[in-house]
Structure formats: structure tokens, C-alpha cells
Amino acid sequence: MDKDKSNKEIRVRMAPSPTGSLHVGTARTALFNYLFAKHYKGKFIVRIEDTDKERSEKKWEEDILKGFEWLGLEWDEFYRQSEREDVYEKYIQKLLESGKAFYCWHAKEELQKEREKQMQAKMAPKHVCDYRDKKLSQKDIPDNSIVRFRNDVKESIVFTDLVRNEVKFNAPDFGDFSIAKSTKEPLYNLAVVIDDHEMKISHILRGEDHISNTPRQILILEALGFQRPKYAHIPLLLGGDKSKLSKRHGATSVYEYKEQGYLPEAMFNFLALLGWRPKEDEKEIMEKNEIIQEFDIADIQKSGAVFDVEKLSWMNSLYIRKLSKEELTELCVPYLEKEGFFVRQKNTLKITANGEERSYDWLKKVITLEHERIKKLSDITEGLEFIFKEPKYESELLIWKKSDRQGAIKELKELSVIIQNIEKSDWTKEDIENIIMPHAESSGLPAAPGSPAQVGDRGQVLWPLRAALSGKKASPGPFEILEVLGKEEALKRINTAINKL
Ligand code: GLU
């Protein structure tokens, strides 16, 4: 793509219609536009395409823009089509005056009938309008008229797509297609052509679903004497079953992912690698600047890309691990707060666990227990519930796989005595470990034949301890849990466990 490093400024646009929440596919297209612009130090433009007044809503515009911001797709220029009626009017008049567009007042029913007839005859539906040569004075234009493009082109329309190479359409197949509802209300194809010209767009990167609009847009822009931008149609996102990604495959809105606690950096990385891959490179974890530096349209894959949530979660867990303890705590607090684990009073957190008041530092320690384990921030609530509330579990959980009920009772009773004797001043993970570990190693089951003498099966001791403290099959280790629970709560839980057995 070195040819794009020409003197001409690279200007791309993302042109969402505000008719729904920001879809991950739209976010990916926006991201590719952004990467391309930044790679060439060009401009990334956001244009809200809200000419369809019935379907467009302000709340969706806000949702989409907030989503772009969250992903870090800062735009250089911003436009809203609903504010550009005067611009469109000028060009619609021009097309009408030059005879390249005309008014059509066929009733919807007539057009529908024509369509059905063509379909029955196995012809592709199109409307070649018998009003195309009618010259009307302003006052004679019927109220229900729309504006159509007068399509006289007989040849093929060929364009070079930067992803799909040569693409060809037969121009007469489009008939005299509609381009505006009135001189102030352009339809999508016309508004796009006018805006792309006025905004000096050099490259159009958009979803493959727009590919059949491109020849219509080329017909219009040639009629207006505009220069053709370069096109790149990006393959669509697919679900796991290789069909077009939809709700049925899971969350499709960027917000659902944000709310579940996916980090924007991870989403950025993940979306960038959906259908694009740096040349001869297998690496998957790439920072924003690295992606910008390596982005090249030539490396966009031609087939659809599967939106694999498992992979996103894996990437997200790696980005979570990169957070500092402080950052992680700050990001997790809202999730725990929402779950009602603690409350906020006049902007300060009032943290209580098991009836005891706790500090922010304590909370930081607790949240850090899950740092390596969570895949998304919302996992923190399930992961840490047992710290804040006494766990519920069946007594079988306490029994180590190589032991029995009596064994578990014996170990827990011994542990209870050891723990009672630990001084409060020694109540750190390291000190607790230094006291309990030698006991676990010597009092566990006899060593398996061939293993070093004296080393028994620590699971005999550590399993019931960890299970009694957490009530879970998998959790952080027992010494970390002991440290944050505190002596009293730990003894209470061990006691409960003995009684259960
Ligand atoms: N407004 C169109 C859409 O939301 C995109 C137009 C374009 O990229 O040309 O699908």
C-alpha cells in the first residue's frame, strides 16, 4: 500500500446510522477506518447518517459516539447529515436541471405490481420510469413525487476494491433508482456521494453489505463530475456457526461487553485482529500504537471473521493482568458495590465483611486475590462472594479425594488449634504459611513409595482447610484467604465445617 503514501491526504469516514446500539461489527469497521487514518497520519471523520427521520434517534447517536470514545477512536471531524439539507438541495437541483435526475410520481402500488410481474418472469426487479423525459415546471410537480436518477449507462461499472480486487456490476440492472424524497431529503446513496465528495474522502472502508450500493454511488458521482474515492469492503463478522453474527450468537452490542467488564484496550486489540493480521506475524497481543503502525488494508482477509467470545475473554484476562492493583481495585469496586457487598456513604466506601468494618487496603488485597483468575471484571463478584458472605456448601466438599470424613474432621480440629495459637501480629500470608506448611507436610498421608521421605500428601490438610474457608472447589490458596478473612472469621468457618461433618 505504499502508493497511498502519496501527497494526497488520507481522509476516511465512519458513517453510522443512529438506529440502534453500537454493534461490534460497526465498531470493527470504525476501528479499521481509524487505524488506516492514523497509519497514514490522515483524518478520521465521523458522520452521523440520520436522514431517515423515522428510524434515527438521538439516544442511539449518543450510544454510538460514547462507544467510539470508550474504544479510543478519537475523531478529527464530525458531521451530522440532518444539518446539511442546504448542501444536498444544491446538488439535487443541479441533477434535476441537467436532466440527470427527474421526478417520478408512480404510486407505491403501481411500482409494487411492476416488481411482482418482473419477479414472476424471473427478472431482477428494476424500474425504468416512463416519466424520465417529462419536463415539469415547479408548480406542476405532483405532491407525492420522488426524485430518481436517470440511468442511461449501458456498460458495466467496474471498480477496484482494495480487499476484493475487481468488482463488476451491470449498470442497466439498476434501472432509474430513487435518490431523494424531495429536494431537501436525499436518500442514502445520494447523501453519501455528496458528503464523501464535500468531505474529500479519499478511501471508503465499509462493510461488505454495502457492496451493491457502490455501483449506484459511482453512477451518481460520475453524473455530478466528482472524483471516485478508493473502496475497501470489509468481510462481515460471523458467529461460531459461520452465519452472519446476530443476537442469537450472544451479545452484539459493544455496551454489553463494556458492562460485563471487558477492557477497551482488549476490545481494541481483539476487534483489530478480526479479519486483519499483520504480515507474517502470529502475535496476538498488540498495543494500540503497534497496531496502527502495522495496519495495512492489503492484509485484510477476504473471508468473514468469526467473533469468538472465548478468544476475547482470553485476551481480556491478559489485559486485566497488566493492570496495577490500584487500577484493578478501582475498576472492580462498582461490580462489588452493585452486588451489595458494601455501601457508599457520602462518597466514601463503607466496607464491611462478616460484620466487621474493613479498610480500602484490605479491599485491595481481597480483589488482588482474583487478579490472575478473572476473565472479565464482572467475574469478581462470583469470585469473591465467599469473602463477604459465609459460604454455603455441602459437607462432601470438605473431604480430600484420598481421605474420608474422619480424616477431614481430624485435620480441621488440628488446624483449629494451630490457628488459635498464631499471634495476631503474625497474621500475614507468609507467616501463616510458615506455620501451617510444615504441619501439612509432616502430618499428611504417608509419602507415596519413591517420593522423598517425610513428605506426605499436603492435600490431606490443605484441601479441607481451603474448602472450609471458601466453600468452593476452586479458589485462591488457603493462606491468602486466611490473611484477608482474619483469625476470628477463619476459626468460625473451620468450626462450622467440623459441625457440618
Ligand atoms: N450509514 C450506513 C450504515 O450505517 C453506512 C454508509 C457507508 O459507510 O457508506 O450502514
Side-chain angles (χ1 to χ4, degrees):
M1 287 289 297
D2 277 347
K3 56 183 178 292
D4 282 314
K5 284 181 185 144
S6 58
N7 297 331
K8 207 175 155 217
E9 192 188 21
I10 299 292
R11 290 174 61 84
V12 294
R13 86 302 194 273
M14 183 62 206
S17 305
T19 53
S21 189
L22 178 58
H23 189 280
V24 284
T26 310
R28 200 258 317 231
T29 306
L31 179 65
F32 280 16
N33 273 283
Y34 173 86
L35 293 171
F36 184 63
K38 295 296 144 183
H39 180 86
Y40 289 108
K41 305 207 169 7
K43 295 279 184 296
F44 171 59
I45 293 157
V46 170
R47 181 172 77 218
I48 297 291
E49 301 208 323
D50 54 354
T51 50
D52 184 341
K53 295 192 177 87
E54 269 119 64
R55 294 180 60 223
S56 301
E57 281 188 60
K58 205 75 194 162
K59 71 166 183 198
W60 298 130
E61 178 184 315
E62 280 161 19
D63 177 291
I64 292 166
L65 295 178
K66 274 201 199 128
F68 288 171
E69 273 168 356
W70 178 70
L71 277 168
L73 309 179
E74 318 87 34
W75 51 89
D76 301 293
E77 290 170 33
F78 178 81
Y79 303 92
R80 206 177 273 121
Q81 285 190 329
S82 57
E83 291 163 2
R84 298 173 54 76
E85 281 177 359
D86 294 348
V87 180
Y88 305 131
E89 188 171 21
K90 189 178 84 188
Y91 287 106
I92 296 172
Q93 292 291 10
K94 196 172 157 190
L95 285 167
L96 285 165
E97 276 157 26
S98 64
K100 288 179 173 148
F102 61 91
Y103 286 104
C104 158
W105 55 92
H106 281 287
K108 272 207 177 95
E109 299 73 44
E110 282 177 275
L111 294 170
Q112 184 61 26
K113 250 192 214 140
E114 182 183 60
R115 223 182 136 80
E116 279 162 16
K117 252 197 201 153
Q118 288 168 339
M119 306 250 280
Q120 268 163 13
K122 302 227 171 339
M123 285 158 64
K126 68 174 174 185
H127 177 64
V128 178
C129 189
D130 41 15
Y131 298 147
R132 64 203 315 262
D133 293 319
K134 285 233 165 26
K135 288 262 173 280
L136 298 172
S137 60
Q138 197 61 31
K139 63 173 179 32
D140 295 330
I141 302 164
D143 280 349
N144 59 343
S145 299
I146 59 157
V147 181
R148 288 187 181 274
F149 181 77
R150 184 189 167 121
N151 180 10
D152 288 323
V153 178
K154 297 282 172 279
E155 314 83 58
S156 303
I157 304 164
V158 183
F159 62 92
T160 309
D161 188 281
L162 296 173
V163 177
R164 302 161 58 118
N165 302 323
E166 198 180 276
V167 183
K168 209 181 201 168
F169 284 91
N170 186 29
D173 289 351
F174 302 117
D176 297 326
F177 56 92
S178 53
I179 54 173
K181 285 197 204 160
S182 71
T183 50
K184 277 187 185 298
E185 296 172 286
L187 292 169
Y188 161 69
N189 280 315
L190 178 60
V192 161
V193 167
I194 295 170
D195 282 342
D196 288 341
H197 168 75
E198 289 262 322
M199 295 166 196
K200 299 187 173 55
I201 300 302
S202 64
H203 293 72
I204 294 180
L205 275 71
R206 62 182 165 204
E208 196 174 69
D209 47 336
H210 282 291
I211 202 145
S212 63
N213 288 321
T214 303
R216 291 179 176 85
Q217 291 173 15
I218 290 174
L219 285 170
I220 301 171
L221 70 85
E222 285 180 349
L224 284 165
F226 297 163
Q227 246 193 349
R228 237 192 236 198
K230 293 200 167 83
Y231 297 96
H233 288 90
I234 304 166
L236 298 181
L237 293 186
L238 309 175
D241 58 359
K242 302 277 162 76
S243 67
K244 190 178 164 201
L245 183 71
S246 72
K247 275 263 158 236
R248 141 182 97 76
H249 296 108
T252 52
S253 136
V254 168
Y255 278 96
E256 292 174 79
Y257 289 97
K258 178 176 183 266
E259 266 161 34
Q260 288 177 39
Y262 287 91
L263 302 180
E265 297 79 12
M267 197 56 143
F268 191 104
N269 190 160
F270 173 72
L271 290 176
L273 293 183
L274 268 185
W276 172 80
R277 179 156 289 287
K279 233 178 243 69
E280 292 159 29
D281 212 329
E282 288 299 311
K283 70 175 168 247
E284 305 237 62
I285 301 299
M286 294 171 79
E287 301 276 347
K288 184 171 180 176
N289 284 338
E290 201 182 351
I291 299 174
I292 290 174
Q293 209 165 23
E294 298 208 18
F295 188 77
D296 188 340
I297 293 185
D299 297 328
I300 294 179
Q301 290 150 14
K302 291 185 177 33
S303 51
V306 175
F307 189 93
D308 178 356
V309 184
E310 290 287 315
K311 183 167 171 189
L312 169 62
S313 296
W314 164 75
M315 258 187 196
N316 199 49
S317 70
L318 298 185
Y319 276 89
I320 287 179
R321 282 176 208 188
K322 288 193 204 182
L323 297 172
S324 69
K325 283 181 194 168
E326 287 69 27
E327 289 166 329
L328 179 74
T329 306
E330 223 166 279
L331 289 169
C332 286
V333 161
Y335 291 93
L336 296 169
E337 204 177 339
K338 207 168 122 205
E339 232 18 62
F341 288 160
F342 43 75
V343 289
R344 192 174 283 274
Q345 283 179 345
K346 294 196 193 103
N347 264 342
T348 36
L349 284 180
K350 187 171 159 48
I351 306 159
T352 42
N354 309 296
E356 217 180 299
E357 195 151 332
R358 308 286 191 158
S359 68
Y360 193 77
D361 270 345
W362 174 84
L363 184 62
K364 202 155 72 184
K365 214 175 253 176
V366 168
I367 289 175
T368 311
L369 290 183
E370 288 289 302
H371 204 157
E372 303 277 315
R373 307 168 58 86
I374 54 173
K375 290 196 168 148
K376 49 188 191 296
L377 300 172
S378 58
D379 292 344
I380 200 77
T381 54
E382 206 204 312
L384 290 182
E385 189 177 6
F386 77 93
I387 299 280
F388 294 90
K389 289 188 198 156
E390 211 182 310
K392 290 194 176 58
Y393 58 93
E394 296 299 323
S395 64
E396 280 69 33
L397 181 78
L398 298 160
I399 303 167
W400 173 234
K401 59 181 184 225
K402 296 183 203 159
S403 182
D404 54 20
R405 202 164 280 270
Q406 286 317 313
I409 295 174
K410 172 185 158 279
E411 298 303 340
L412 287 172
K413 281 191 170 154
E414 282 177 23
L415 280 162
S416 175
V417 176
I418 296 174
I419 290 171
Q420 267 174 46
N421 289 330
I422 302 178
E423 294 292 330
K424 275 219 174 142
S425 55
D426 289 337
W427 202 260
T428 66
K429 173 187 166 277
E430 289 74 25
D431 287 336
I432 300 169
E433 184 167 355
N434 285 340
I435 295 167
I436 295 182
M437 212 49 182
H439 164 75
E441 278 174 358
S442 63
S443 83
L445 290 177
S451 51
Q454 302 298 316
V455 179
D457 190 342
R458 301 165 183 177
Q460 167 84 1
V461 176
L462 300 185
W463 176 272
L465 174 60
R466 202 194 49 73
L469 298 172
S470 68
K472 290 166 75 142
K473 264 200 187 114
S475 76
F479 309 120
E480 283 110 312
I481 305 179
L482 278 168
E483 181 181 11
V484 298
L485 278 183
K487 190 166 165 173
E488 276 87 56
E489 180 64 20
L491 285 169
K492 199 172 115 203
R493 288 190 185 188
I494 291 170
N495 211 22
T496 309
I498 294 170
N499 290 338
K500 260 187 205 278
L501 287 161

